[in-house]
Amino acid sequence: MSQSLSEECTPLKRKYDACFNAWFEGYLEPAVSASASSEQRAKFAQQKATEFENSCGKIWQEYRQCIQKAVKDKGLDVLLEQARQENPLKEPPPPQPLDNPRS
Amino acid sequence: MIVHHVLSIDVVDRSVDPNTGIIRTERILGCKQKAPGWIVRLFGGSEDAYVREVSFVDPATQTATITSVNLSLSQFATCYESIRYTPSPDGRTTFAQTAEIQARVALWRSAADKLENWLVQRFEQNAQLGKLGFTDVLRQLWETREQRTAQQS
């Protein structure tokens, strides 16, 4: 699709993206199945999380190592850390502020 | 990528919540975006602008939320942009977008105002682009899916 911010990491990035996309293909459809109970969904999510780790974990480690270095070399690590501290965004933001669509 | 000013995309963190199934993705986007000449002259900086983007895809509620904030020049001003896609009862998708722009500086007043105005303009120009880009990604994802479903039925 697109390239990495470091040319060196681009091949790893593409491999990782391809791996994620292949996994994601099989993720949405059963996961959104309306008939599934929350219990079934949780079980499915767990199973898929493990599957993701198994199939993409190794390439992710390689890509991550590369990109972490590149981010540091560009001096972005400090800025990223600041942004994370200011707003960790660990949970989806609450719907409230978005309730008034502008468009 | 469809949005032409995005030059690079990198995932720096990703997790799948084993309880909710929500996929959280943190990315760094690199853009070619020229800051106004006077900002570059005053503060330095370069043409490469980097953005932190955190997205959540919740398969249970079929909601996608994307929040982004600039990393470059963030010591002077930040622009938080949030967009959300949710299914609406009529079978369409609701799109909502907000932005919060803040000049961080106690720069002399006029410079801070100028900076804010410039950023608001840039946001208005680019808001449509970002939406188009992501809409396209979603369309591709769902169209292939629908075609397949149609073929099966």
Side-chain angles (χ1 to χ4, degrees):
Chain A
M1 189 165 85
S2 66
Q3 53 187 17
S4 166
L5 63 85
S6 150
E7 212 176 299
E8 202 192 324
C9 304
T10 298
L12 291 171
K13 172 210 146 60
R14 295 212 164 122
K15 266 196 209 169
Y16 171 72
D17 280 351
C19 190
F20 172 77
N21 289 338
W23 172 84
F24 188 67
E25 261 296 288
Y27 184 73
L28 268 189
E29 206 161 350
V32 298
S33 158
S35 58
S37 69
S38 65
E39 215 170 85
Q40 279 172 312
R41 268 203 300 263
K43 202 177 156 221
F44 178 78
Q46 251 161 39
Q47 189 190 320
K48 291 300 280 187
T50 312
E51 186 192 303
F52 181 49
E53 175 56 37
N54 289 344
S55 43
C56 305
K58 193 167 164 279
I59 181 68
W60 166 239
Q61 290 307 327
E62 288 174 44
Y63 169 47
R64 189 168 69 162
Q65 217 175 351
C66 190
I67 195 63
Q68 274 179 344
K69 185 179 173 294
V71 162
K72 204 171 172 184
D73 289 348
K74 294 219 181 249
L76 290 169
D77 55 334
V78 182
L79 296 173
L80 179 62
E81 211 34 63
Q82 265 172 16
R84 281 172 171 169
Q85 270 174 23
E86 229 162 77
N87 197 346
L89 284 163
K90 285 290 176 196
E91 302 291 326
Q96 238 174 2
L98 288 175
D99 273 351
N100 306 309
R102 310 168 4 129
S103 65
Chain B
M1 191 65 188
I2 311 89
V3 183
H4 58 86
H5 64 277
V6 174
L7 293 182
S8 70
I9 303 176
D10 283 286
V11 176
V12 289
D13 194 31
R14 175 172 276 148
S15 57
V16 183
D17 189 312
N19 298 313
T20 59
I22 294 175
I23 304 171
R24 177 188 183 274
T25 304
E26 185 176 28
R27 308 197 295 181
I28 291 182
L29 313 185
C31 317
K32 263 283 181 273
Q33 172 143 280
K34 258 201 153 125
W38 64 271
I39 290 186
V40 177
R41 278 197 302 276
L42 263 171
F43 309 117
S46 74
E47 282 189 12
D48 295 332
Y50 291 97
V51 169
R52 174 191 183 223
E53 178 210 76
V54 179
S55 67
F56 295 91
V57 175
D58 185 347
T61 58
Q62 299 185 43
T63 299
T65 320
I66 300 108
T67 303
S68 55
V69 65
N70 58 301
L71 293 174
S72 305
L73 297 172
S74 59
Q75 60 271 49
F76 305 113
T78 52
C79 172
Y80 271 98
E81 182 188 347
S82 282
I83 56 184
R84 164 177 279 128
Y85 295 86
T86 40
S88 59
D90 60 3
R92 293 163 187 237
T93 298
T94 304
F95 170 83
Q97 183 176 34
T98 60
E100 201 178 295
I101 293 162
Q102 221 170 24
R104 213 187 275 271
V105 251
L107 284 178
W108 56 99
R109 195 65 213 151
S110 70
D113 281 349
K114 258 193 202 165
L115 182 60
E116 268 185 1
N117 282 339
W118 178 73
L119 290 167
V120 169
Q121 277 169 20
R122 293 297 297 162
F123 177 76
E124 282 168 355
Q125 284 165 17
N126 285 330
Q128 194 59 16
L129 280 179
K131 180 189 167 190
L132 286 177
F134 199 72
T135 306
D136 229 58
V137 172
L138 289 176
R139 190 183 303 124
Q140 280 176 6
L141 271 173
W142 263 271
E143 267 178 5
T144 46
R145 208 165 295 280
E146 273 169 13
Q147 278 166 12
R148 222 167 293 151
T149 322
Q151 279 161 11
Q152 278 162 7
S153 57

